[in-house]
Amino acid sequence: MPNVQGQIVATATGSIKGSIEGDALCFRGVPYAASPVGALRFAPPRRHAGWAGVRDAAQAGPSVPQGPSRLERVMGHRAADWNEDGCLTLNVFCPVAATSEQTPRPVLVWFHGGGFTSGSGGWDWYDGSRLAVLGDTVVVTANYRVGPLGYLYLPELGIDNLGCQDQRAVLDWVSDNIAAFGGDAGKVTVGGQSAGAYSAMSLAVDEQTRPRVSQLLLQSGPWGLEPQPQQDAVASTEAYLGLLGAPNGPDAAKMLRELPVDRLLAAYRDLATQRARPGSVAPPMYPVLGGAGVGRSWRQALDDDALLGKALLIGTTRDEATAFFDYDRIKDITSQQASPAHVFIEAQTDLIFRGGALEIARHHAVGGNPTYVYQFDRRPPDDPSGLGATHCCELPFLFGTFDAYPQSPMLGAVADADHTLSREFTTAIAEFVTTAAVDSWPTYVTGHIRHFG
């Protein structure tokens, strides 16, 4: 039976005290690795040394260092809340009864998106308490290093897909500790949205983490973005070091660890401006093929049957690409006509998101694996920017966190029907996490796509 006294749970590194919020027990800001500061900046995640006494886990930890999200115009503004010290944390949500009952519950480990450049698992956007209670599951969200701190590529100095290595460390923590929260370490769904979905796929096919992933939830992954070739990563790194005035070779690591983090972020913004290309959604730094955690592309992994036996739920929104391309500007370019703009958005949505999602689903279903596909169609009722059902629009519905998106263009006004839609969507996801199936939803072997909204 888990070592529990009320709201206090014993983990491998120390005891933590969570908070009861309605029917959920919430533990926020739990360290899964040591702070990546000083000598540990630009180093693989290291096990946290632990603490004496009981650590308060009522508040989420800080975000990892990052600049503003490129999707603020869609999702809404967030005030900067990052701090390098104490940023490698996760959050655990479970029903109140989970920690005292002997039957372990399925676990969902969910990674946020943000183009490998921004985001935080601790933001109220991704509060997992409602999902945990509705599904009678344990939900884990987590931070991981992004931007240059997560994806600078200097493998000869041990700087290699550090964000991916952080995500590995999250699964290590879950394996070692989730039983104390009433979770079943042998039944873990790994999921995420956008960059988080891309990451979840990598974890599911990586030889080191593959055995710990039972099934997959992949939301709006940018499947048209191949892992970064090493030569491109080297070029981006060289350009970045040039912007910082940092030397090549062993002395680079020393300087990178001594510079103020604000300067690292400013140089990354300059690099992003320099390397921006029309029609591209690729950030200047993201997971590198052949680096830690990314031994092969997702297509190669499918060909190698790396997902064999794992249930899959995968989907997109209807109008993903409107988040990345200014719809009104596209109409201007196409002689003020909406139809060519719609064609462009649909083509980009297929190229970057939907085409790859359906390719993954077809391959997986033909192989005899349980496969479910959805499309989220709900658009804001007042939609002056023509966003439609844009990238990220399903997130408030998954987590039931409408109040966390004030004045969000992708959400708009929320009606009673939206709360009903949220419950339908969340219930389907929770059923998949719990049973590896959705009874009312035909598998994709029939070509069925479930539409929401």
Side-chain angles (χ1 to χ4, degrees):
M1 185 172 181
N3 183 7
V4 177
Q5 296 176 350
Q7 299 166 252
I8 298 175
V9 171
T11 74
T13 46
S15 295
I16 56 175
K17 183 177 182 179
S19 58
I20 296 176
E21 301 174 18
D23 295 325
L25 187 53
C26 308
F27 301 85
R28 299 184 173 93
V30 182
Y32 68 84
S35 293
V37 297
L40 295 186
R41 181 195 278 178
F42 292 112
R46 183 173 297 178
R47 182 182 174 89
H48 197 279
W51 54 88
V54 177
R55 182 187 180 103
D56 180 63
Q59 301 295 326
S63 304
V64 300
Q66 60 190 269
S69 168
R70 66 188 294 186
L71 294 180
E72 280 198 348
R73 76 176 186 90
V74 173
M75 302 182 74
H77 173 70
R78 288 205 72 99
D81 66 342
W82 59 261
N83 191 324
E84 197 171 13
D85 191 9
C87 66
L88 295 186
T89 61
L90 51 75
N91 315 282
V92 184
F93 306 90
C94 60
V96 170
T99 55
S100 59
E101 294 181 350
Q102 303 226 9
T103 303
R105 287 161 167 79
V107 179
L108 170 64
V109 180
W110 192 91
F111 291 103
H112 67 81
F116 302 104
T117 301
S118 64
S120 171
W123 287 349
D124 53 0
W125 288 350
Y126 313 128
D127 184 303
S129 57
R130 176 177 174 271
L131 179 56
V133 171
L134 186 63
D136 197 25
T137 60
V138 179
V139 176
V140 179
T141 62
N143 291 351
Y144 55 94
R145 281 172 285 183
V146 298
L149 294 165
Y151 297 100
L152 187 71
Y153 188 64
L154 287 167
E156 67 276 12
L157 301 180
I159 304 173
D160 175 17
N161 283 353
L162 296 175
C164 299
Q165 295 194 56
D166 290 345
Q167 293 163 348
R168 281 176 166 177
V170 170
L171 291 193
D172 289 342
W173 187 95
V174 168
S175 181
D176 293 342
N177 293 283
I178 207 65
F181 301 85
D184 185 350
K187 191 171 186 181
V188 175
T189 299
V190 175
Q193 186 266 348
S194 194
Y198 202 93
S199 301
M201 172 67 93
S202 295
L203 290 164
V205 301
D206 176 28
E207 293 303 325
Q208 181 172 319
T209 50
R210 179 183 172 192
R212 294 181 175 174
V213 180
S214 305
Q215 52 202 53
L216 276 171
L217 167 63
L218 304 179
Q219 301 172 243
S220 300
W223 309 115
L225 184 67
E226 296 289 340
Q228 192 170 27
Q230 291 183 10
Q231 63 270 25
D232 291 354
V234 169
S236 291
T237 294
E238 289 177 350
Y240 181 69
L241 294 178
L243 289 168
L244 289 169
N248 287 314
D251 290 338
K254 182 176 185 295
M255 182 175 177
L256 287 168
R257 288 175 177 134
E258 293 175 349
L259 285 172
V261 71
D262 290 291
R263 187 171 169 192
L264 299 177
L265 296 179
Y268 189 72
R269 287 195 295 272
D270 292 341
L271 180 67
T273 300
Q274 288 182 5
R275 301 205 154 229
R277 298 291 183 270
S280 173
V281 299
M285 295 179 185
Y286 58 100
V288 180
L289 183 63
V294 190
R296 51 192 165 179
S297 69
W298 61 262
R299 283 191 175 90
Q300 184 61 58
L302 290 179
D303 289 341
D304 295 342
D305 289 331
L307 289 182
L308 191 65
K310 300 182 190 299
L312 169 67
L313 194 158
I314 189 169
T316 63
T317 66
R318 187 187 61 202
D319 308 302
E320 299 272 8
T322 56
F324 304 94
F325 303 100
D326 190 317
Y327 183 77
D328 289 330
R329 185 178 178 191
I330 297 166
K331 284 196 292 183
D332 290 340
I333 294 172
T334 55
S335 304
Q336 306 294 328
Q337 297 176 19
S339 294
H342 278 299
V343 170
F344 175 82
I345 290 298
E346 186 171 350
Q348 291 297 316
T349 294
D350 286 342
L351 177 67
I352 302 168
F353 300 100
R354 185 178 298 122
L358 294 180
E359 182 180 342
I360 292 168
R362 282 193 294 268
H363 189 287
H364 204 55
V366 168
N369 304 284
T371 306
Y372 301 87
V373 179
Y374 73 85
Q375 180 173 298
F376 200 85
D377 297 329
R378 188 266 188 190
R379 62 183 299 162
D382 183 17
D383 190 15
S385 298
L387 290 173
T390 193
H391 191 63
C392 301
C393 73
E394 86 281 19
L395 294 174
F397 293 83
L398 173 62
F399 291 100
T401 50
F402 297 120
D403 293 342
Y405 292 83
Q407 300 179 335
S408 170
M410 71 177 190
L411 180 60
V414 177
D416 289 344
D418 293 315
H419 289 279
T420 300
L421 175 61
S422 175
R423 187 171 185 86
E424 290 174 355
F425 187 53
T426 305
T427 298
I429 299 298
E431 184 180 350
F432 174 79
V433 171
T434 302
T435 67
V438 187
D439 287 343
S440 61
W441 189 345
T443 64
Y444 192 67
V445 74
T446 65
H448 177 83
I449 298 176
R450 170 75 180 272
H451 289 258
F452 289 93

